[in-house]
């Protein structure tokens, strides 16, 4: 290649960038291909062509161009990361991970490398490792809105939407209205709020995203339509992700707030009711939604074996510190009930069902988990309006007494005890609630 080639190469690059500015991708691709032909080892031309092909979804071709750019400039890790991104887009996560690992070994402070590592590890099911890389990327580039949206995507998909919302909120508040990264970040922020059952905040983000990007590359209109449909049909309830985030953040002050500010007494009331039905002792007990273990304190004297499960890992940590439980783990209560059929003499649910709407599924699950003759003891907040249940402003469900009875009948559970109680106080007044104890038939229930 002679020196005469450089002016022609530079001219082709100028043509390519002008075509990209004019959104003429065909002309841009032709100019970049000509530039590559003139200088095959020119990393800039290879990288620009790779970026164009990647936007078009031509991941294999784009990866080839990024690989050539990386070979021409091996000291620049971004080319290898771009190649890895193409491999990940094409579904080859193993090859992508090999490139990302090598890039991070050379430059451990590369935020883009950590973002891609987080994405790949999440795809492999390594959630905790993915979150560690996502948080490192956030630390390394705290003011990068585009990168923050990518980190936020990992956080939401890994089950930590609250962290995503808290990260994006101040960045979006200070973002320039014309920032090209703003629309995508708003879509992601809306997804985080939706996962936290904050429908109004989600809708506001998606409306703003549509204003910022009328072409709607991020799909805000589709998300808005789905949210509106769920709201119209009453399906926009509390998600497990919302409940987990709520109690993970609340765990450290949970006992103090409940017992002192809210006068929480559901566990004590349940124990008193269990004593009235002569439940006995030496029981295998499952405390679902165990929280920090306040229910375990009450039923421990009745238990031969006491297990506790909660959606919040932080709550489980606090419960473990009490030294009461023979087994503790964090999981969804439906999965925990299904884990061991006909295993429990007593299933306890103190102030847990307020985070569920329809009680029929959990009553069925409890019946399946109980031994014949076993008991399901729980509290709910009582609903006296229209319908079987309602989501209150407190973000807790209240249930009509008839709904409780209907769910029990449907699950083949007999009512041993049903009484009005005040399981807690709110805004200076006792909450109207119900306490019930249901027994599985000795013939096997439903």
């Amino acid at each position: 290649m002679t020196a005469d080639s450089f002016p022609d190469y530079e001219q082709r690059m100028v043509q390519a960038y002008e075509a990209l500015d004019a959104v003429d991708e065909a002309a841009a691709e032709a100019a970049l291909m000509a530039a590559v032909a003139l200088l095959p080892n020119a990393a800039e031309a290879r990288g620009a062509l790779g970026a164009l092909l990647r936007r078009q979804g031509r991941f294999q071709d784009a990866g080839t161009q990024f690989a050539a750019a990386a070979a021409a400039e091996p000291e620049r890790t971004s080319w290898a990361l771009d190649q890895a991104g193409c491999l990940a887009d094409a579904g080859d996560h193993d090859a992508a991970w090999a490139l990302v690992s090598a890039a991070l070994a050379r430059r451990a402070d590369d935020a883009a490398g950590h973002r891609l590592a987080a994405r790949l590890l999440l795809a492999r099911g390594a959630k905790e490792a993915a979150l560690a890389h996502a948080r490192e990327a956030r630390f390394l580039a705290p003011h990068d809105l585009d990168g923050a949206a990518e980190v936020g995507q990992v956080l939401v998909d890994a089950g930590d939407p609250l962290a995503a919302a808290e990260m994006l909120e101040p960045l979006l508040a200070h973002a320039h209205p014309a920032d090209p990264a703003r629309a995508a970040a708003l879509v992601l922020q809306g997804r985080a709020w939706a996962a936290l059952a904050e429908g109004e905040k989600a809708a506001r983000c998606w409306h703003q995203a549509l204003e910022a990007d009328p072409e709607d590359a991020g799909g805000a209109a589709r998300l808005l339509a789905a949210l509106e449909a769920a709201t119209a049909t009453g399906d926009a309830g509390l998600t497990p992700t919302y409940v987990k985030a709520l109690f993970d953040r609340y765990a450290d002050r949970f006992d103090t707030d409940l017992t002192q500010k809210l006068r929480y007494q559901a566990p004590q009331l349940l124990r008193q009711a269990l004593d009235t039905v002569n439940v006995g002792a030496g029981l295998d007990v499952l405390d679902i939604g165990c929280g920090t273990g306040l229910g375990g304190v009450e039923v421990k004297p009745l238990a031969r074996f006491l297990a506790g499960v909660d959606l919040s890992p932080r709550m489980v940590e606090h419960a473990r510190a009490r030294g009461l439980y023979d087994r503790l783990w964090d999981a969804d209560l439906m999965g925990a009930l299904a884990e061991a059929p006909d295993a429990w003499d007593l299933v306890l649910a103190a102030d847990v069902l307020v985070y569920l709407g329809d009680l029929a599924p959990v009553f069925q699950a409890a019946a399946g988990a109980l031994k014949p003759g076993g008991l399901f003891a729980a509290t709910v907040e009582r609903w006296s309006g229209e319908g079987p249940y309602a989501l209150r402003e407190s973000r807790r469900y209240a249930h009509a007494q008839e709904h409780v009875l209907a769910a029990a009948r449907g699950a083949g559970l007999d009512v041993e005890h049903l009484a009005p109680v005040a399981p807690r106080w709110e805004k200076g007044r006792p909450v109207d609630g119900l306490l019930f104890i249901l027994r599985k038939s000795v013939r096997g229930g439903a």
Side-chain angles (χ1 to χ4, degrees):
M1 190 63 58
T2 65
D4 294 339
S5 300
F6 286 98
D8 290 339
Y9 166 80
E10 292 175 350
Q11 182 180 2
R12 296 298 186 183
M13 293 300 295
V14 169
Q15 291 172 353
Y17 289 131
E18 289 176 347
L20 288 171
D21 289 340
V23 199
D24 187 347
E25 292 192 351
E29 182 178 349
L32 288 169
M33 290 291 289
V36 166
L38 287 165
L39 287 179
N41 293 325
E44 181 187 3
R46 293 282 193 175
L49 181 56
L52 175 60
L53 296 174
R54 187 179 183 185
R55 285 198 301 273
Q56 296 173 350
R58 296 158 63 183
F59 303 127
Q60 184 174 352
D61 293 339
T64 298
Q65 297 302 325
F66 286 129
E73 292 184 356
E75 71 284 355
R76 183 173 169 182
T77 58
S78 62
W79 299 131
L81 292 174
D82 286 333
Q83 182 188 1
C86 290
L87 290 166
D89 292 339
D92 191 348
H93 294 154
D94 290 340
W97 176 248
L99 287 172
V100 172
S101 298
L104 287 176
R106 292 195 303 272
R107 278 201 58 183
D109 62 345
D110 192 308
H114 285 287
R115 290 194 295 269
L116 185 49
R119 173 186 163 193
L120 291 168
L121 287 165
L122 190 60
R124 290 172 146 200
K127 185 174 75 170
E128 293 305 319
L131 287 171
H133 280 281
R135 291 165 185 146
E136 182 66 14
R138 177 185 175 187
F139 171 77
L140 290 168
H143 306 300
D144 178 3
L145 184 59
D146 196 12
E150 192 175 346
V151 169
Q153 181 74 58
V154 172
L155 294 172
V156 170
D157 290 345
D160 196 0
L162 185 58
E166 291 177 340
M167 174 185 64
L168 288 167
E169 194 78 5
L171 293 176
L172 283 165
H174 294 94
H176 192 280
D179 189 330
R182 183 167 170 268
L186 282 165
V187 171
L188 195 282
Q189 177 76 322
R191 284 193 57 216
W193 287 130
L196 293 165
E198 295 282 0
E200 291 184 5
K201 291 181 179 179
R204 184 163 60 249
C205 287
W206 291 332
H207 281 298
Q208 291 174 353
L210 285 170
E211 292 174 2
D213 177 21
E215 295 184 3
D216 193 20
R222 173 181 53 79
L223 292 166
L224 268 171
L227 177 64
E228 290 166 358
T231 302
T233 58
D235 294 332
L238 304 181
T239 64
T241 302
Y242 162 79
V243 177
K244 175 182 177 296
L246 172 68
F247 285 103
D248 272 350
R249 300 295 168 133
Y250 193 30
D252 291 341
R253 66 180 195 278
F254 182 78
D255 288 6
T256 300
D257 282 3
L258 272 187
T259 58
Q260 297 183 15
K261 294 182 180 179
L262 301 178
R263 305 188 191 183
Y264 175 64
Q265 55 183 347
Q268 296 92 327
L269 293 170
L270 283 164
R271 173 59 193 274
Q272 293 168 16
L274 287 166
D275 288 342
T276 67
V277 300
N278 299 317
V279 67
L283 307 178
D284 293 324
V285 180
L286 175 62
D287 184 5
I288 59 173
C290 66
T292 61
L294 293 174
V297 172
E298 296 298 326
V299 298
K300 179 65 174 178
L302 307 176
R304 179 186 70 86
F305 183 89
L306 178 59
V309 61
D310 199 280
L311 196 60
S312 164
R314 292 288 304 281
M315 287 289 196
V316 169
E317 289 177 13
H318 284 266
R320 183 168 287 112
R322 292 184 185 274
L324 295 171
Y325 291 88
D326 299 291
R327 183 191 176 197
L328 276 167
W329 75 108
D330 58 278
D332 174 78
L333 67 87
M334 294 294 285
L337 288 169
E339 183 177 305
D342 303 317
W344 306 103
D345 297 298
L346 172 63
V347 171
L348 189 76
D351 204 42
V352 174
L353 303 182
V354 294
Y355 297 104
L356 301 173
D358 184 6
L359 295 179
V362 73
F363 278 35
Q364 290 280 359
L370 288 170
K371 299 176 184 178
L375 298 174
F376 179 35
T379 59
V380 296
E381 294 182 9
R382 181 156 56 175
W383 175 243
S384 56
E386 295 183 2
Y389 52 86
L391 183 62
R392 289 176 161 163
E393 290 182 3
S394 61
R395 312 303 295 277
R396 296 159 62 90
Y397 283 100
H399 299 89
Q401 180 172 313
E402 180 51 42
H403 179 63
V404 173
L405 296 174
R409 289 193 298 270
L413 297 169
D414 301 323
V415 178
E416 287 283 318
H417 180 92
L418 178 66
V421 295
R424 67 200 288 269
W425 283 48
E426 190 172 294
K427 297 181 179 178
R429 300 179 61 183
V431 171
D432 184 18
L434 288 170
L435 184 152
F436 56 84
I437 301 175
L438 310 175
R439 186 181 296 276
K440 180 175 178 177
S441 169
V442 295
R443 296 184 300 277

